[in-house]
Amino acid sequence: MNPPEVHVDEAIGRALAAEGVRTVFGVVGSGNFHVTNALVAGGARYVAARHEGGAATMADAYARMSGEVGVVTVHQGPGLTNLITGLAEAAKSRTPLLVLAGEVTSPLSNFWVDQAALAQAVGALSGRITSGETAVAEAVAAYRLARRERRAVLLNLPLDVQSHQAGDLPAEALPAGPPEDTPVVAADLGTVERLAEVLAAAERPVFVAGRGARHARRELELLGERTGALLATSAVARGLFKGNPWDLDVSGGFATPLAAELIRDADLIVGWGCALNMWTMRHGALIAPTATVVQVDLDASALGAHRSVSFGVVGEVAGCATAVTELIGAQRDGYRSDELAARIAAGRRWQDVAYDDESGAGRIDPRTLTIRLDELLPADRIVSVDSGNFMGYPAMFLDVPDEHGFCFTQSFQSIGLGLATAIGAALARPDRLPVAALGDGGALMGVAELETVVRLGLPMVVVVYDDEGYGAEVHHFHGAPHDTVTFPPVDLAAIGRGFGCAAVTVTSAADLDAVREWLDGPRDLPLLVHAKVTRERGSWWLEEAFRGH
């Protein structure tokens, strides 16, 4: 008796589930219906988004917080075009992401677009299922490529091939993936021995750890103890050194005045798995003219890509840090002293920096709002932040417990991704209270995913900083009419209730008592906090950002 026929779409779904896909996000249409059902039949959880852009960002955030490959499944043509902004963010962030997209191959079809070119245009890799015999092997190879190279990969599933009978060619019979270009190294290459030498000679070393160092806290702390280095992170690695007495928190636009001062006075800055880009180094303003700058990264093409460095070291962060520690002899005080420890303890947090509370006239100062929320919300939280004029307030004033407590999908700097980011992060870390921090523009852009929050039963706190406009543009373009970027009031709390959320409008600190009541209750509904924030001034971090445009 012949074995039952298995079509390509079903075989791909089951093979990817067997490969380790546990959660898949998407919007289902005719072109991805069967492959999605096959993933579910294979044991994967399917999370339906309300928009493909949201699905991609959920998968991106899930990958960042879980350590798994993010997987998203969409319809051909418009399903993929709707996803493109989320795909661009994942590609720029080097998030391991696999997109399964139906594909028509005839230009006469109303669904036809050049899907491979679309993906490549935003920095993703692209592949295609070419036959029934090779389908499973090609799908598994694409998944492994995304995982191994930390790349966003589009796998096109031609509709005609999906209905073919699947063969059983093993993945190992195919090439590992499309050939990579030879990395362009924009820095002199050094060795761990050379790094050990400059660290041993440094009087004021500072480590700045990025996303590529999130697994290496202990190794970097040991090296920091040996060399007397102060510890900081990029925004995406925020929380990595939480609890360490030498932790300066974030370097860059969100840095406290004390952190900025100490990093600026460093005679050696080492970026560990960190791009040292314009955000993290404030366009170079945090680097002293005489400072030595070193980058350590697994990816050779990252070395010196954003700024000149003294030299770079290619290697995995934890292993390099351990090797350097073993090469350095006696322990040095370096930057560390009792006096400095006391200064850091007293000025590490933005909550320690005095400010004039500008609340009044029916609006709350966003600093006051965020500090009060930080006091109310449980420490075991996972904070996701959208882009916009407001974004520094939650990024600076909401503490996070560790490197798994902050999700920042900001490489493309698109507004509207924050709520979907919070959903993906919440599903990756269901043990923590999810907090979404959004501006009114981004909240309304992604508002459809509030239904997803409610449907999934996520006990999420959604905070909307509402200044009734696109604040970045309002405060950047001085002296010009702002009619195109300002809007009449919107009752966001009512919108939240319409989706099934609990909601409160906040115009003063006293209104936040409703947040405590929600926290003390069953938390059976998500909570939307509609905060009408003061809007007289722009944020300094956006002023810096516009310099990079």
Side-chain angles (χ1 to χ4, degrees):
M1 178 180 291
N2 293 328
E5 182 175 299
V6 178
H7 290 167
V8 162
D9 43 20
E10 180 181 353
I12 288 173
R14 289 182 176 271
L16 290 173
E19 191 71 13
V21 175
R22 297 192 303 127
T23 302
V24 58
F25 301 84
V27 177
V28 169
S30 60
N32 64 325
F33 182 85
H34 294 299
V35 71
T36 305
N37 282 344
L39 278 158
V40 174
R45 178 186 186 183
Y46 174 65
V47 178
R50 285 300 185 175
H51 190 277
E52 291 88 350
T57 303
M58 291 175 200
D60 182 355
Y62 180 86
R64 294 177 192 229
M65 295 293 105
S66 69
E68 301 173 21
V69 176
V71 179
V72 59
T73 169
V74 295
H75 183 66
Q76 62 272 16
L80 183 65
T81 58
N82 280 348
L83 170 141
I84 287 297
T85 297
L87 182 61
E89 169 62 36
K92 287 179 177 291
S93 298
R94 292 297 292 262
T95 298
L97 184 77
L98 178 64
V99 178
L100 304 173
E103 182 188 37
V104 297
T105 54
S106 170
L108 299 178
S109 169
N110 60 305
F111 285 132
W112 188 87
V113 291
D114 190 339
Q115 297 192 172
L118 277 173
Q120 291 162 5
V122 297
L125 301 178
S126 180
R128 176 175 287 110
I129 299 301
T130 57
S131 71
E133 180 187 12
T134 60
V136 168
E138 289 166 333
V140 170
Y143 173 82
R144 293 178 181 176
L145 175 64
R147 181 179 60 193
R148 183 182 66 249
E149 299 291 339
R150 299 179 296 115
R151 298 292 294 271
V153 178
L154 166 66
L155 182 63
N156 289 301
L157 312 177
L159 301 187
D160 54 346
V161 179
Q162 285 192 47
S163 61
H164 290 178
Q165 183 172 357
D168 56 0
L169 184 72
E172 288 72 16
L174 292 178
E180 292 287 312
D181 294 333
T182 302
V184 177
V185 180
D188 291 337
L189 288 181
T191 62
V192 291
E193 289 82 6
R194 186 177 175 189
L195 178 53
E197 290 175 3
V198 296
L199 270 168
E203 296 180 357
R204 297 179 304 282
V206 170
F207 294 169
V208 182
R211 187 177 173 190
R214 289 174 65 208
H215 65 291
R217 169 174 177 158
R218 187 56 187 150
E219 291 83 358
L220 291 175
E221 285 183 326
L222 287 171
L223 181 57
E225 291 171 11
R226 183 67 59 88
T227 59
L230 305 184
L231 308 173
T233 72
S234 65
V236 293
R238 186 174 179 226
L240 178 62
F241 300 116
K242 181 66 181 291
N244 189 296
W246 304 105
D247 176 24
L248 302 179
D249 202 19
V250 175
S251 173
F254 300 154
T256 63
L258 176 61
E261 172 196 332
L262 295 175
I263 296 169
R264 194 179 293 117
D265 286 345
D267 62 353
L268 171 64
I269 294 174
V270 184
W272 299 91
C274 177
L276 298 179
N277 59 28
M278 63 181 182
W279 319 112
T280 307
M281 291 288 105
R282 289 192 181 178
H283 296 267
L286 294 186
I287 302 174
T290 57
T292 299
V293 181
V294 182
Q295 234 182 316
V296 179
D297 205 287
L298 195 61
D299 181 5
S301 65
L303 301 177
H306 288 272
R307 66 180 56 263
S308 297
V309 297
S310 304
F311 64 91
V313 178
V314 178
E316 185 271 326
V317 168
C320 283
T322 297
V324 173
T325 302
E326 293 172 351
L327 288 168
I328 293 177
Q331 183 167 318
R332 296 170 47 82
D333 290 337
Y335 216 150
R336 302 182 180 188
S337 67
D338 292 342
E339 178 185 1
L340 185 56
R343 288 188 68 200
I344 292 173
R348 175 188 292 111
R349 304 168 73 230
W350 271 102
Q351 288 86 333
D352 302 321
V353 180
Y355 70 97
D356 293 327
D357 189 343
E358 298 176 352
S359 301
R363 292 191 172 272
I364 186 170
D365 190 308
R367 296 164 292 186
T368 302
L369 166 73
T370 315
I371 291 171
R372 185 70 179 126
L373 285 171
D374 184 60
E375 294 168 349
L376 288 170
L377 298 174
D380 211 14
R381 63 186 70 152
I382 185 163
V383 177
S384 301
V385 181
D386 208 337
S387 189
N389 184 67
F390 79 96
M391 66 184 182
Y393 300 114
M396 297 188 303
F397 291 97
L398 281 181
D399 283 343
V400 295
D402 54 31
E403 71 275 18
H404 302 295
F406 191 66
C407 197
F408 198 62
T409 49
Q410 293 290 319
S411 292
F412 199 30
Q413 212 179 339
S414 171
I415 71 168
L417 305 186
L419 186 56
T421 297
I423 295 170
L427 293 173
R429 294 302 305 258
D431 55 319
R432 298 187 171 186
L433 177 73
V435 180
L438 320 173
D440 55 303
L444 289 167
M445 192 175 288
V447 73
E449 301 306 347
L450 266 184
E451 189 278 333
T452 306
V453 176
V454 173
R455 171 167 34 89
L456 295 177
L458 298 176
M460 184 181 293
V461 177
V462 180
V463 185
V464 183
Y465 293 71
D466 181 13
D467 61 3
E468 296 171 9
Y470 295 133
E473 284 68 32
V474 168
H475 295 293
H476 177 67
F477 296 104
H478 303 290
H482 291 146
D483 295 347
T484 56
V485 291
T486 55
F487 301 90
V490 173
D491 191 343
L492 292 167
I495 291 174
R497 294 186 192 101
F499 276 101
C501 299
V504 58
T505 298
V506 174
T507 59
S508 69
D511 296 328
L512 290 168
D513 288 343
V515 176
R516 175 184 286 125
E517 293 172 7
W518 181 87
L519 290 167
D520 291 340
R523 307 185 194 177
D524 53 345
L525 299 176
L527 175 66
L528 187 143
V529 179
H530 175 202
K532 292 179 174 285
V533 297
T534 55
R535 52 189 178 179
E536 285 71 32
R537 66 185 72 251
S539 58
W540 61 91
W541 56 85
L542 256 297
E543 291 176 6
E544 291 182 351
F546 272 113
R547 278 190 251 146
H549 283 186

